[in-house]
Amino acid sequence: MNRPVILGIETSCDETAAALFVDGSITADCTTRQVIHELYGGVVPELASRAHERLLAPAIEVVLRDSGARVSDISGVAVTVGPGLAGSLLVGLAYAKGLSTALSVPMIGVNHLEGHIWSAELQHETIPTPFLALLVSGGHTIMVRVIDFGKYEIIGSTRDDAVGELFDKVGRMLGFSFPAGEAIDKEADAFQGVSVRLPRARISGDPLSFSFSGIKTAVLYHLRERYPGSSDGFTLPVEDRSAVCAGLMDAVGDMLVRGINNAIDEGDYRALVVSGGVSASRYLRKRFNAISVEKALPIYIPNPRHCTDNGSMIAYAGFRRIAIGKTSPSNIEINPSLTLSDSSL
Ligand code: KG4
Ligand code: ZN
């Protein structure tokens, strides 16, 4: 391909996103977070797919306009095919199929998790392999040995809640709107007092696995004991709320740092990558950066707007897939429970 112009489409959950990758870099990126879900305290699948239908075409128009490109310049359409919400994935895939057929250009089905992992290359140089990737988002908390693009070995994961899910559930108890990770992170980062001590779970015999649901229960008991309310929201002074936020970040930070350290001690890695929505946390980024110094291992974390779901990571992963000859047949289907080790793409 002479001049790759890859359109990336991401509609796996509640962000409608598109981006254009031209000649080795992202020229425009448009992400619309669907605020409607705030009213319900979580993503409502039916509303998400309807919103994607409304928002996707305008997002694509914006990235073409901002790049000074025409639709006919597109040489490949990359689209998330899983994991994610079925109805939402379908909207993106149907659009990508239509566009790639109309333009007679290849379509590239992308694994959302692969997109997150390699988003760390969007504003950094090539990451040396093998590297250890911690993917922390609303749906996933996994540690992956990345041997190369397309070659992954999941070495650890959460047994219950993902970290972002934990933040969003605790956020609801604390009265934050959905999703709560960013607000919790801000309060924790600004807090100077004594944080609430929360438990750090260990899974015996499995130093690379995590369990976060005990933290959620501990916060619930703490709040029930001291403040009026229910699991849908407690009334507490801001200073006390910040102490819970800081305690939550401390506990999660300690557990993630321990898991990463264990993985690094067991394997031979040339770099550490942390990505996914939770990696936007200022508080946790400090902890991750400290590991890099301590272990003398280069660290790559995407810039915050590429940590949460975005089209750039899909366009870039699409570009990488084309480079290894992996385009998709026109009858490719969505896979809501696609895993990283699934080689069907
Ligand atoms: O990667 P992502 O956008 O979607 C999934 O693939 O799940 O991650 C969303 C998650 C949410 O749970 C949100 O609360 C959390 O990432 N999050 C954060 C921050 N920004 C988003 N958590 C901590 N600090 C942040 N700044
Ligand atoms: Zn994601």
Side-chain angles (χ1 to χ4, degrees), residues 10 12-13 15 83 112-113 116 135-140 276-277 307-310 313:
E10 158 61 40
S12 68
C13 193
E15 262 99 14
H112 181 83
L113 307 177
H116 269 307
L135 170 48
V136 261
S137 67
H140 294 85
C307 290
T308 44
D309 291 348
N310 63 87
M313 68 183 197

Side-chain angles (χ1 to χ4, degrees), residues 81-94:
V81 292
L85 301 169
S88 293
L89 291 166
L90 272 174
V91 175
L93 182 60

Side-chain angles (χ1 to χ4, degrees), residues 106-296:
M107 187 178 55
I108 313 105
V110 171
N111 184 322
H112 181 83
L113 307 177
E114 183 170 62
H116 269 307
I117 290 177
W118 292 94
S119 64
E121 267 191 0
L122 282 169
Q123 62 279 317
H124 293 112
E125 72 272 31
T126 307
I127 303 170
T129 50
F131 61 79
L132 171 67
L134 169 72
L135 170 48
V136 261
S137 67
H140 294 85
T141 299
I142 50 176
M143 287 198 293
V144 186
R145 179 177 172 80
V146 179
I147 300 145
D148 204 345
F149 186 86
K151 293 197 183 117
Y152 311 106
E153 195 188 322
I154 296 176
I155 59 165
S157 58
T158 178
R159 297 276 180 96
D160 39 59
D161 290 348
V163 174
E165 187 183 356
L166 168 72
F167 289 166
D168 297 337
K169 285 176 178 169
V170 170
R172 193 181 173 124
M173 296 179 206
L174 295 175
F176 290 115
S177 60
F178 174 85
E182 190 178 347
I184 290 175
D185 180 46
K186 265 198 189 143
E187 283 211 10
D189 201 47
F191 184 66
Q192 305 282 345
V194 180
S195 54
V196 172
R197 177 82 193 166
L198 296 168
R200 280 93 170 129
R202 276 171 200 263
I203 295 169
S204 73
D206 194 352
L208 304 183
S209 283
F210 305 103
S211 168
F212 297 104
S213 62
I215 299 183
K216 185 183 56 194
T217 313
V219 173
L220 181 61
Y221 286 168
H222 170 84
L223 296 173
R224 264 196 198 146
E225 219 177 273
R226 291 173 177 74
Y227 311 100
S230 70
S231 54
D232 252 2
F234 290 85
T235 312
L236 64 168
V238 173
E239 186 69 5
D240 292 9
R241 186 176 73 181
S242 300
V244 176
C245 293
L248 177 61
M249 284 293 179
D250 268 340
V252 167
D254 282 354
M255 288 167 68
L256 292 176
V257 167
R258 194 180 63 228
I260 293 172
N261 278 330
N262 290 341
I264 292 173
D265 291 344
E266 275 186 18
D268 108 73
Y269 295 104
R270 296 179 63 205
L272 169 64
V273 165
V274 188
S275 62
V278 173
S279 67
S281 157
R282 289 176 60 137
Y283 193 94
L284 293 175
R285 286 166 92 99
K286 290 180 201 157
R287 302 289 309 268
F288 301 139
N289 284 320
I291 305 179
S292 162
V293 174
E294 207 174 291
K295 299 280 183 185

Side-chain angles (χ1 to χ4, degrees), residues 31-50:
T31 305
T32 310
R33 197 170 67 75
Q34 304 174 356
V35 284
I36 180 95
H37 307 289
E38 281 182 16
L39 295 175
Y40 304 91
V43 179
V44 183
E46 179 59 26
L47 294 179
S49 47
R50 269 195 250 156

